[in-house]
C-alpha cells in the first residue's frame, strides 16, 4: 500500500498546546526506558517564542527526566512542524540532539494529539488526561496507519490512576 503524504496540523495555537500531556502510547525508542510508566511531557512557552520541554518518566518508582527546547522549524509557515533539541547526557549538556516534532492531528479542544515525524520512526499519542477513551485511541492509531506508520510497533504506556 502506498503511503499517504504526511500532513500536519495548520494554524496550531501554540499557547493552547502548552501544559502537561500524558503519553498514552508510542513507538519504543532508545531515548526512553523500556519499562517506563507515567510518562508525560510539560511544555512552557517562553517570551522569545521558544518552548521549554520537560519529559518525565518513572521506572521502578524512580523519576527520570530530560529538559530541552522546541521551536518552529519554519517561523514563516503555519504548519505545526517543530524541531526539538535535547542535550545528552542531560547532566552534562554537551551534545545537542535535534529531532522533528510534527503535530499530525489535534482535536478541536486540544485534549489529545498524534505526534510524528517524516521518517515514521517515532510516534506518540498524547492526552491531557492520563487515560484516553478506547474509541479515540483507535481513531488516532488509524490516522497513523493512514499516513504510513507500521502501527504494529505501537506500545501503550502504563499510566497510574493517580500519576505522580
Amino acid at each position: 500500500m502506498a503511503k499517504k503524504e504526511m500532513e500536519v496540523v495548520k494554524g496550531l495555537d501554540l499557547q493552547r498546546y502548552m501544559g502537561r500531556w500524558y503519553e498514552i502510547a508510542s513507538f519504543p525508542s532508545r531515548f526512553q526506558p523500556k519499562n517506563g510508566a507515567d510518562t508525560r511531557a510539560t511544555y512552557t512557552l517562553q517570551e522569545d517564542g521558544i518552548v521549554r520541554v520537560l519529559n518525565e518518566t518513572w521506572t521502578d518508582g524512580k523519576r527520570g527526566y530530560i529538559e530541552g527546547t522546541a521551536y518552529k522549524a519554519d517561523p514563516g509557515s503555519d504548519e505545526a512542524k517543530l524541531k526539538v533539541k535535547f542535550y545528552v547526557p542531560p547532566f552534562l549538556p554537551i551534545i545537542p540532539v535535534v529531532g522533528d516534532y510534527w503535530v499530525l492531528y489535534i482535536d478541536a479542544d486540544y485534549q489529545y494529539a498524534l505526534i510524528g515525524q517524516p521518517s515514521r520512526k517515532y510516534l506518540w499519542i498524547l492526552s491531557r488526561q492520563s487515560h484516553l477513551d478506547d474509541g479515540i485511541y483507535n481513531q488516532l492509531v488509524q490516522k497513523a496507519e493512514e499516513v504510513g506508520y507500521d502501527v504494529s510497533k505501537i506500545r501503550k504506556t502504563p499510566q497510574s490512576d493517580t500519576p505522580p
Side-chain angles (χ1 to χ4, degrees), residues 77-90:
S77 172
D78 71 341
E79 292 184 315
K81 292 181 177 179
L82 303 174
K83 291 284 188 184
V84 290
K85 179 166 47 175
F86 296 97
Y87 287 92
V88 291

Side-chain angles (χ1 to χ4, degrees), residues 45-57:
L45 186 60
Q46 301 175 146
E47 285 185 26
D48 60 3
I50 302 292
V51 176
R52 199 176 118 248
V53 178
L54 171 63
N55 288 344
E56 302 171 281
T57 193

Side-chain angles (χ1 to χ4, degrees), residues 27-127:
F27 278 8
S29 78
R30 61 188 174 98
F31 301 110
Q32 293 179 277
K34 289 182 179 21
N35 59 342
D38 295 316
T39 303
R40 63 191 185 197
T42 305
Y43 304 120
T44 308
L45 186 60
Q46 301 175 146
E47 285 185 26
D48 60 3
I50 302 292
V51 176
R52 199 176 118 248
V53 178
L54 171 63
N55 288 344
E56 302 171 281
T57 193
W58 277 258
T59 306
D60 300 323
K62 184 178 177 196
R63 176 181 176 256
Y65 71 95
I66 188 166
E67 293 181 277
T69 56
Y71 51 92
K72 287 195 76 166
D74 176 359
S77 172
D78 71 341
E79 292 184 315
K81 292 181 177 179
L82 303 174
K83 291 284 188 184
V84 290
K85 179 166 47 175
F86 296 97
Y87 287 92
V88 291
F91 53 84
L92 187 65
I94 295 175
I95 304 165
V97 175
V98 179
D100 292 300
Y101 182 107
W102 288 12
V103 182
L104 303 178
Y105 178 82
I106 190 162
D107 72 300
D109 295 326
Y110 284 61
Q111 294 302 300
Y112 48 91
L114 181 66
I115 310 300
Q117 42 79 264
S119 74
R120 295 174 174 85
K121 290 181 182 174
Y122 302 101
L123 182 72
W124 294 270
I125 293 176
L126 304 178
S127 173

